[in-house]
Amino acid sequence: MYKSFFGFQQAPFDKGIDSSMLFQSEAYKEVLARLDYLKTTRGFGLITGDPGVGKTSTLRVFADSLNPSLYKVMYFPMSSGTTMDFYRGLAFSLGEQPKFRKVELFFQIQNAITDLYDKRRITPVFILDEMQSASAQFLHDLSIIFNFDMDKRNPFILILTGLPTLANRLALNQNRSLDQRLVTRFHFSPLTPDEVRDYIKHRFRHAGVSRNLINENAYEAISSSTGGYPRLVGNLVTQCLILTFQKQRDLIDEEIVFAASAEAGI
Ligand SMILES: Nc1ncnc2c1ncn2[C@@H]1O[C@H](COP(=O)(O)OP(=O)(O)O)[C@@H](O)[C@H]1O
Ligand SMILES: [Mg+2]
């Protein structure tokens, strides 16, 4: 196996990376700063970015950083299920037995949120991931459920996240009410070429290898063919390691990167 050949203790681009071990790119730091600000204002925040840029991983870091005696984090991947399933899930995660009718369910969710915030002094934090395909009706429902005392206060934090098209959807006329209530919005950009190099070294180091395994031209080729998206960088470099091992070489060069991108379809 390539891992023992190079001396890795685990696969360097293992998905299960501990959230405290994430690479701190400029975009990553910026997202966390925005979310920190959202902690003080509460209300709605928006984070968009292309697939594999690091949205979900960074939100996990934020969620893990919150003190559980002050915040209750609820994460909803929105790609599957109906909106009714989501409202029920929302009520359920707030400790309620979901009511059957939509209107009652909305009241129930609102009451559970105010109870949590006013009586128990815990801020509920909702993370709605993969929101790019949300319907206009659903976005409208959100602006109703999360409207407290005629929008005078925000006893919650709600982070909407998804592909860049989500920002366009929110800008449409019928979704303006939600759009105008966003406290912070951020577009997550990919790693710069320098960050790609540091990112790979960072992940190698955490997998137990500190020596250099990649030459300069190869770093450039990796950066340009992946566009700096961490998920693609991981797939490509893993493929490079496999090929380098098959050839029994000790350094990844440009030629290997090209062969690996063809195989990995990047
Ligand atoms: N800052 C980072 N440090 C380490 N790995 C990262 C980082 N950002 C992204 N990744 C890796 O890239 C992959 C894609 O990230 P993810 O957060 O799922 O992207 P998105 O949610 O934007 O599609 C994950 O496997 C993750 O491990
Ligand atoms: Mg994601």
Side-chain angles (χ1 to χ4, degrees):
M1 263 302 276
Y2 80 87
K3 280 184 281 186
S4 49
F5 179 74
F6 292 109
F8 288 113
Q9 281 142 23
Q10 73 219 38
F13 294 95
D14 198 357
K15 270 183 87 169
I17 182 171
D18 194 277
S19 66
S20 62
M21 300 295 174
L22 286 199
F23 173 68
Q24 306 196 357
S25 67
E26 281 309 308
Y28 165 99
K29 286 188 254 180
E30 179 78 12
V31 174
L32 288 182
R34 304 273 179 139
L35 294 174
D36 232 32
Y37 173 67
L38 193 59
K39 270 166 73 176
T40 63
T41 60
R42 297 179 303 280
F44 291 98
L46 172 71
I47 294 169
T48 55
D50 288 324
V53 78
K55 302 179 295 297
T56 305
S57 312
T58 308
L59 283 164
R60 192 163 8 106
V61 173
F62 174 67
D64 290 351
S65 76
L66 297 172
N67 180 343
S69 60
L70 298 175
Y71 296 92
K72 178 176 170 62
V73 181
M74 288 153 275
Y75 174 81
F76 301 91
M78 301 301 297
S79 45
S80 60
T82 65
T83 49
M84 269 318 265
D85 287 339
F86 166 72
Y87 305 132
R88 288 196 195 100
L90 196 55
F92 196 74
S93 55
L94 286 161
E96 302 285 316
Q97 195 54 47
K99 299 257 199 244
F100 191 70
R101 291 181 47 231
K102 193 166 159 180
V103 190
E104 289 173 3
L105 191 53
F106 282 12
F107 265 121
Q108 183 182 31
I109 293 168
Q110 282 211 326
N111 287 337
I113 291 173
T114 35
D115 263 14
L116 199 59
Y117 188 77
D118 293 333
K119 299 206 182 113
R120 294 176 54 200
R121 305 266 175 241
I122 292 177
T123 305
V125 179
F126 306 96
I127 301 177
L128 275 52
D129 203 350
E130 303 290 351
M131 277 290 287
Q132 61 278 349
S133 342
S135 66
Q137 177 65 48
F138 179 52
L139 295 171
H140 178 69
D141 284 352
L142 285 183
S143 71
I144 293 180
I145 299 177
F146 292 90
N147 182 333
F148 292 85
D149 301 336
M150 298 175 78
D151 206 22
K152 273 213 314 266
R153 65 193 200 109
N154 288 330
F156 67 92
I157 292 173
L158 191 152
I159 303 161
L160 300 167
T161 177
L163 302 183
T165 49
L166 173 58
N168 308 337
R169 289 185 87 91
L170 286 169
L172 294 176
N173 245 341
Q174 74 257 42
N175 303 326
R176 292 298 298 195
S177 65
L178 196 53
D179 192 69
Q180 285 169 1
R181 287 168 63 201
L182 294 175
V183 174
T184 181
R185 57 177 82 217
F186 183 71
H187 178 74
F188 207 131
S189 21
L191 305 174
T192 63
D194 281 346
E195 287 178 330
V196 167
R197 179 190 291 110
D198 293 344
Y199 171 64
I200 297 170
K201 288 186 175 163
H202 174 90
R203 298 217 52 160
F204 278 8
R205 220 171 21 249
H206 281 289
V209 172
S210 300
R211 71 180 191 285
N212 190 31
L213 295 181
I214 304 183
N215 80 17
E216 264 321 297
N217 289 342
Y219 273 123
E220 275 173 34
I222 292 166
S223 164
S224 66
S225 58
T226 58
Y229 292 99
R231 183 181 290 137
L232 293 182
V233 172
N235 294 348
L236 181 55
V237 174
T238 302
Q239 194 61 37
C240 288
L241 290 168
I242 293 168
L243 286 184
T244 312
F245 160 63
Q246 283 167 359
K247 293 175 192 283
Q248 299 283 302
R249 303 236 203 106
D250 48 14
L251 202 63
I252 295 176
D253 60 18
E254 217 179 347
E255 187 199 328
I256 291 204
V257 176
F258 291 133
S261 8
E263 280 196 29
I266 292 167

